């Protein structure tokens, strides 16, 4: 029986089902969510010796790591973007297919993002904080109620979504349910598909000009890095809100800091250039009515772990039956001679 090592978050029920297919062991972050339990390079190399399959979460699978794990034949990534911690090119060179759990956050991220928008529209966080700190008394009754005078309704507002993948489309549907006007930017989505989604495709410049909420949902590539530039941030309407639950690298952080310091715009940020943040980070200087801060929570939910576990189980069973699952990060690997000595040993082995 083939051996599998899991270092990612995984659902116990699906763990038992995996064990009907392979010998499965779990270590590190898989069992203890303390970030310090994530394995460094030497430890992950040592841990993977003798294992045929690896369920990967956050450990860095660099070229050096992969070349020093000669038994590894298949990688299953719980992430929607396995390239963030796995050297996909090195896997292809070595003949190791990478299957991944696409869409694991397609509900949690749009829900969380819409919640962030709502919290910027309605000062619930501030009102609740004052309520708990001062309690609700006859003396502060009017002041507490007046906190909500800045509240605005979502209906009729324009949301501009940058990146119309699963998460972006999921957010669009939620915004439309609240009678918002949805505009979008994505060079890989054509006009016909946009019409089917009942949204208007615009250039980035037009989107930043018109949106009350600009929401970043794109992947980080050379083209998208710092796409929310100083020029675009300065085009936003006064008081408009930038929401980033994708990746910090999509934004020119210095430009965003300047825009928020000057009170030009507002923002809701779930991702940052450095995580965790240093104690002297500039974000702590911005008042909470202009900046909502959350510590990289958008993709986290109880259901996500179950969903990613199920998706990887399905991918592995399909692969072991000799069929290609839909979510392969490096399809070109199957044409490599190196595949015959590695990944092919699992392909169709059921």
């Amino acid at each position: 029986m083939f051996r599998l090592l899991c270092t990612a978050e995984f659902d116990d029920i699906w763990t038992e089902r995996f064990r009907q297919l392979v010998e499965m062991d779990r270590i590190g972050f898989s069992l203890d969510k303390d970030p310090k339990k994530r394995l460094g390079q030497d430890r992950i190399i040592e841990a993977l010796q003798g294992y045929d399959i690896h369920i990967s979460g956050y450990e860095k699978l660099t070229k050096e790591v992969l070349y020093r794990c000669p038994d590894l034949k298949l990688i299953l990534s719980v992430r929607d973007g396995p390239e963030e911690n796995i050297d996909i090119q090195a896997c292809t060179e070595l003949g190791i297919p990478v299957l991944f759990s696409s869409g694991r956050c397609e509900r949690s991220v749009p829900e969380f993002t819409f919640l962030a928008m709502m919290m910027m529209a309605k000062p619930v966080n501030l009102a609740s904080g004052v309520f708990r700190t001062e309690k609700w008394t006859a003396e502060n009754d009017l002041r507490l109620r007046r906190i909500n005078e800045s509240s605005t309704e979502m209906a009729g507002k324009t949301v501009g979504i940058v990146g119309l993948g699963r998460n972006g489309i999921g957010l669009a549907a939620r915004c439309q349910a609240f009678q918002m006007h949805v505009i979008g930017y994505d060079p890989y989505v054509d006009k016909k598909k946009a019409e089917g989604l009942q949204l208007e495709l615009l250039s980035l410049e037009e989107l930043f000009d018109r949106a009350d909420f600009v929401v970043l949902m794109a992947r980080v590539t050379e083209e998208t890095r710092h796409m929310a530039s100083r020029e675009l941030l300065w085009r936003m309407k006064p008081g408009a809100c930038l929401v980033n639950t994708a990746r910090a690298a999509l934004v020119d952080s210095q430009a965003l800091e300047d825009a928020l310091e000057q009170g030009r715009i507002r923002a809701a940020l779930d991702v940052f250039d450095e995580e965790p943040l240093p104690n002297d980070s500039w974000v702590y200087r911005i008042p909470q009515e202009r900046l909502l801060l959350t510590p990289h929570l958008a993709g986290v939910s109880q259901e996500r772990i179950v969903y990613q576990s199920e998706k990887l189980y399905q991918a592995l069973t399909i692969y072991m039956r000799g069929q290609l699952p839909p979510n392969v990060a490096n399809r070109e690997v199957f044409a490599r001679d190196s595949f015959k000595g590695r990944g092919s040993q699992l392909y169709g082995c059921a």
Side-chain angles (χ1 to χ4, degrees):
M1 185 175 278
F2 291 103
R3 299 182 69 204
L4 180 154
L5 181 69
C6 175
T7 59
E9 301 162 295
F10 220 73
D11 179 64
D12 289 339
I13 292 176
W14 288 99
T15 297
E16 292 308 311
R17 294 183 182 178
F18 261 87
R19 285 175 174 156
Q20 296 172 19
L21 299 175
V22 294
E23 288 184 29
M24 181 175 182
D25 296 317
R26 296 172 59 185
I27 63 171
F29 193 73
S30 167
L31 302 175
D32 190 331
K33 295 179 175 57
D34 181 352
K36 295 179 182 177
K37 298 295 183 180
R38 297 179 189 176
L39 308 181
Q41 177 172 288
D42 291 340
R43 291 184 63 202
I44 192 67
I45 290 171
E46 180 182 0
L48 283 172
Q49 300 306 308
Y51 284 95
D52 306 285
I53 309 167
H54 176 40
I55 295 181
S56 167
Y58 301 99
E59 281 80 15
K60 294 288 186 182
L61 298 183
T62 63
K63 184 173 185 176
E64 181 177 355
V65 169
L66 292 163
Y67 270 82
R68 291 175 62 184
C69 297
D71 302 304
L72 197 58
K73 302 171 181 65
L74 182 68
I75 295 174
L76 308 176
S77 172
V78 300
R79 306 181 75 168
D80 211 342
E83 69 281 354
E84 293 192 29
N85 68 306
I86 301 171
D87 188 328
I88 304 296
Q89 182 177 345
C91 289
T92 302
E93 292 171 0
L94 289 166
I96 304 172
V98 180
L99 315 182
F100 63 101
S101 175
S102 65
R104 68 170 183 158
C105 299
E106 63 186 357
R107 292 183 294 268
S108 57
V109 168
E111 286 181 3
F112 188 95
T113 304
F114 191 75
L115 172 63
M117 294 167 57
M118 289 281 284
M119 291 183 71
M120 293 305 293
K122 304 178 186 300
V124 176
N125 201 32
L126 177 60
S128 178
V130 174
F131 191 168
R132 283 187 170 275
T133 303
E134 300 182 11
K135 300 187 172 56
W136 186 11
T137 66
E139 289 73 25
N140 69 10
D141 175 57
L142 185 58
R143 183 162 55 86
L144 270 172
R145 291 175 181 272
R146 281 182 172 168
I147 290 175
N148 206 45
E149 287 180 349
S150 64
S151 177
T152 185
E153 297 178 358
M154 305 301 282
K157 300 299 186 298
T158 297
V159 57
I161 303 174
V162 180
L164 296 169
R166 292 184 186 85
N167 293 345
I169 290 171
L171 177 63
R174 286 158 177 80
C175 291
Q176 288 162 343
F178 276 70
Q179 300 176 327
M180 299 184 75
H181 178 55
V182 182
I183 57 178
Y185 169 81
D186 192 321
Y188 301 101
V189 171
D190 60 32
K191 185 176 180 180
K192 186 174 182 181
K193 181 177 180 180
E195 289 173 352
L197 297 170
Q198 297 182 308
L199 59 83
E200 182 181 5
L201 280 181
L202 299 174
S203 68
L204 263 182
E205 291 76 12
E206 291 173 309
L207 184 146
F208 273 77
D209 283 342
R210 287 176 48 182
D212 298 296
F213 295 90
V214 174
V215 183
L216 303 180
M217 287 284 191
R219 287 192 181 278
V220 177
T221 65
E222 289 306 310
E223 291 75 26
T224 62
R225 188 174 299 276
H226 290 182
M227 67 189 309
S229 63
R230 183 176 297 271
E231 177 188 354
L232 289 176
L233 293 174
W234 257 250
R235 293 182 75 128
M236 291 175 67
K237 297 189 290 188
C241 184
L242 179 79
V243 181
N244 190 3
T245 54
R247 289 293 182 266
L250 296 171
V251 184
D252 180 334
S253 296
Q254 185 59 59
L256 178 59
E257 177 184 349
D258 294 342
L260 290 168
E261 289 274 14
Q262 296 174 27
R264 301 176 66 96
I265 61 172
R266 300 175 301 139
L269 303 178
D270 187 53
V271 288
F272 306 89
D273 289 327
E274 184 177 353
E275 297 180 2
L277 284 169
N279 291 336
D280 61 351
S281 173
W282 64 268
V283 302
Y284 298 123
R285 298 197 303 268
I286 310 298
Q288 65 175 334
E289 60 267 22
R290 291 212 305 270
L291 177 58
L292 174 68
L293 298 171
T294 52
H296 208 142
L297 300 179
V300 179
S301 69
Q302 296 177 31
E303 292 82 0
R304 181 196 71 168
I305 296 173
V306 176
Y307 186 67
Q308 70 190 28
S309 304
E310 178 183 6
K311 293 282 282 186
L312 291 185
Y313 177 83
Q314 292 170 348
L316 180 60
T317 53
I318 291 171
Y319 186 85
M320 292 176 72
R321 288 200 301 262
Q323 301 170 353
L324 287 187
N327 306 319
V328 183
N330 56 342
R331 287 184 175 271
E332 62 276 17
V333 71
F334 300 105
R336 294 289 187 112
D337 289 338
S338 55
F339 174 71
K340 297 174 184 177
R342 300 289 283 266
S344 67
Q345 295 180 43
L346 283 159
Y347 189 66
C349 68

